Amino acid sequence: METNEDAIHPTAQQARAALADTERVRASAASLSATPWPRWFAITLTLYIAAIPPVYGGTLASPQWLLPNLVWGVIMLMMTAAYMVLFTVAGLNWRKKTGVALRFDVLPKRATVPLGIGLPTLLVGSALAFRASREPLWLLAASTIGAAVSIAFHLAFVRMHRKTS
């Protein structure tokens, strides 16, 4: 290994080794931050996604369906507030456990972009289809598909994390 009389400046070989170490640390941090949610949050998220179509369908129903529209709206607000609190708790617990904040930018775009477009379209579209047709099967189908997608993505991210760690 080359030596450098001026100890302040590293040699080219030392600089390359330091960059390689930095890259390994960066890859490790990205892998940790892409780790799936805790199991309890994945279950909560799946239940939340499954509940959105009937609740949102109830808010859009004309005339009211099962409950007054205002009650459906309050239920939706309470569900969303509870989800936000649990999302925050999961993120803080993950950061405390690993020292790395949860980040969405490290997840593969080929999976997250279709999810980000498809899932809201499915959930909102089913409520609109229910309003137009008065057929609750739209809501049941959207709940089932949404829950299946949530579970599938969680399992895919578990597998992705295992491959990188």
Side-chain angles (χ1 to χ4, degrees):
M1 186 162 160
E2 295 176 39
T3 59
N4 190 350
E5 288 89 32
D6 190 5
I8 296 173
H9 301 290
T11 64
Q13 185 178 4
Q14 290 170 329
R16 281 192 287 280
L19 284 174
D21 286 343
T22 302
E23 200 52 46
R24 272 196 302 271
V25 168
R26 185 176 291 135
S28 174
S31 169
L32 280 175
S33 61
T35 301
W37 299 108
R39 187 170 288 136
W40 67 265
F41 187 74
I43 292 167
T44 302
L45 179 60
T46 300
L47 292 174
Y48 177 74
I49 289 171
I52 289 175
V55 173
Y56 193 54
T59 63
L60 294 181
S62 178
Q64 70 186 25
W65 175 66
L66 300 177
L67 297 171
N69 293 12
L70 181 61
V71 173
W72 284 116
V74 170
I75 291 170
M76 184 65 131
L77 287 173
M78 289 175 22
M79 275 179 25
T80 303
Y83 169 75
M84 298 295 263
V85 167
L86 292 173
F87 180 87
T88 302
V89 168
L92 291 173
N93 284 344
W94 180 251
R95 186 178 190 120
K96 186 172 30 171
K97 178 180 170 186
T98 65
V100 178
L102 288 168
R103 294 176 36 210
F104 295 108
D105 62 327
V106 296
L107 299 174
K109 300 287 185 254
R110 70 182 184 280
T112 55
V113 170
L115 178 68
I117 295 169
L119 196 57
T121 302
L122 172 73
L123 300 178
V124 172
S126 67
L128 294 173
F130 168 68
R131 181 182 173 127
S133 70
R134 304 285 302 146
E135 182 60 52
L137 285 177
W138 287 104
L139 304 176
L140 177 63
S143 289
T144 304
I145 293 168
V149 167
S150 176
I151 291 167
F153 270 80
H154 177 70
L155 294 175
F157 291 140
V158 166
R159 196 176 86 208
M160 180 182 80
H161 176 69
R162 285 188 183 141
K163 283 182 180 179
T164 59
S165 51

